[in-house]
Amino acid sequence: MNAMFQGYGSGGQAYDEMFDGDELRPPYLRLRDSLGTMTTPDLVARVEALQATYLDQGVTFDIGGEERAFPLDILPRVIEMDTWTTIESGVQQRVRCLEAFLADVYDAGQVFDDGVIPRSVIATSSHYHREAAGVRPANGVRVHVSGIDLIRDDQGEFRVLEDNVRVPSGVSYVMTNRRAISAALPETVAAHRIRPVAAYPQRLLAALRAAAPAGVTDPTVVVLTPGVYNGAYFEHALLARTMGVELVEGRDLECHRGRVMMRTTKGLEPVHVIYRRVDDEFLDPVHFRADSMLGCPGMIDAARAGNVTLANAAGNGVADDKLVYTYLPDLIRYYLGEEPVLKNVDTWRLGDDDAREEVLDRLDELVCKPVDGSGGKGIVIGPAASRAELDELRAKVLQDPRSWIAQPVVQLSTVPTFVDGKLGPRHVDLRPFAVNDGNRVWVLPGGLTRVALAEGELIVNSSRGGGSKDTWVLAGPKVPAPAPPAAPEEPAAPPSPPPSQPSDEGPAILDLKNQAEQQQQGKSRVDLEGASC
């Protein structure tokens, strides 16, 4: 293993998290020592075992109709305790601000009257839903689960790339990655004090139960999935199983007199909390898409009546708007009276005349993003774009400037990654997950590290050849042991979707498949918005 590190090139503008020149950074000292006696054939054998395990468990993603094992790099990413404390504090602050912002936007709108953010920014957002106005959650929580995407710049500082408070995906890979790496590198795991991630399902279940309607002491919680055709179905099934709750589809629910009921073998039973993994537009055909086959008619009215809690709340997507993101530092100061712990990436709002003029002069130097995009769609990286692509981008910006932001190209930090039989630096991002129970915002120690496996690639999406790493947060000498229930059971493979037979499927089945695949999570099970700048 030491010989493999000899050819490791960590030079360039990017901040390498393991090496400072030729010197090891402190978090990786023990990792280097514990891996020192491992040979290349031994490492290759363990990598192959990892891939076989993921295929057996159904931890796969789709490329061109072919199911492949989701790439998990065998070398973990290590974050020391002090660095994680800052990340944790910054994510908690971010979630508290977003909660206050959403409550204000869908109620009094005081933030507009005080001139912190223009009302037009919200009114023109494609994810602002008037149907959610006036819906007050039982315990005041709208962001039960969040995934805040972070990157580390060339100075080693973590910055927020974007917020995800609709239906953030990827936490299942945090848990399965840890289990897989613990089996592949047991001696290395034993040499470190790593904060556990197995408590997540119990933390989530406790937060969902705490969000039950008033007067309900023993709530029924369900996970609402678009179904087996959705790319994130593995995660939906895993979370339902490890929380010990029912996994349901829209056709399993119906509304009666303002209440949501679940069909069971014993008849209809009331549902009090729905952890929904269905996008807003498909939740309720009465208020949103009339052709939706994924939701349940009357669900929004039941939530408005206070008889059911939707987690996350409908309408949260307005906080994910990348234009709203540019106002978050001011919103933190406004709602919390604090300075941001984690900074944003520098961003230009192209709806501003001066900013647009500057950006249009520098299109070949910057990254431009659509404000409502996800999964890396629509992003144009100026230095890598052709003249025709830049001309097309210029026309789109001039036609609808509100729909675009621009950012500098940030060289994401790199971490040693085992690719094609050798170690090399690869760019990474980080998605910490937070759970809000109304009293405390708990941040899962570690989160999902996504890695661009292609050399020099800045977009970490699986559709661009990206994978993931197990993220180790090192515990300090006096970190108290958590007291959650027992670790969740071994994740099993989800049911396989029926084989594709377009000529035999009726229109209803085809519509169901299309709608399930249209969900925010995307076709790939982890093809989430990539860190591209």
Side-chain angles (χ1 to χ4, degrees), residues 17 52 60 65 67 73 92 131 162 239 245-246 256 278 319 325 382 394 419 431 460-461 470 473 477 501 523:
E17 298 190 13
T60 60
E67 289 290 320
D73 185 55
Q92 290 170 335
E131 295 84 354
E162 68 176 38
L239 290 176
V245 303
E246 294 291 338
H256 287 284
V278 173
Y325 157 91
R394 183 185 302 274
V419 181
R431 174 173 288 185
V460 299
N461 299 59
D470 190 15
V473 174
Q501 297 177 327
K523 287 188 68 177

Side-chain angles (χ1 to χ4, degrees), residues 382-464:
S386 67
R387 175 51 56 188
E389 289 172 329
L390 293 178
D391 289 343
E392 182 182 359
L393 172 62
R394 183 185 302 274
K396 289 180 178 179
V397 169
L398 289 173
Q399 182 180 9
D400 186 10
R402 187 261 182 241
S403 296
W404 292 87
I405 60 168
Q407 296 173 329
V409 178
V410 178
Q411 289 293 326
L412 313 185
S413 61
T414 58
V415 178
T417 304
F418 191 71
V419 181
D420 297 331
K422 61 181 181 180
L423 289 169
R426 294 296 187 270
H427 295 289
V428 295
D429 76 348
L430 177 66
R431 174 173 288 185
F433 292 90
V435 175
N436 187 4
D437 65 6
N439 294 315
R440 179 194 173 197
V441 178
W442 175 77
V443 183
L444 177 67
L448 177 65
T449 288
R450 296 174 294 184
V451 55
L453 298 178
E455 186 173 2
E457 178 63 71
L458 292 176
I459 297 181
V460 299
N461 299 59
S462 58
S463 59
R464 297 283 289 267

Side-chain angles (χ1 to χ4, degrees), residues 4-36:
M4 282 187 280
F5 276 112
Q6 289 178 4
Y8 182 82
S10 60
Q13 297 179 344
Y15 178 91
D16 192 82
E17 298 190 13
M18 185 170 184
F19 287 95
D20 182 5
D22 294 329
E23 299 294 323
L24 275 173
R25 298 190 191 274
Y28 285 88
L29 290 170
R30 186 169 294 178
L31 177 67
R32 171 72 175 267
D33 292 342
S34 64
L35 295 175

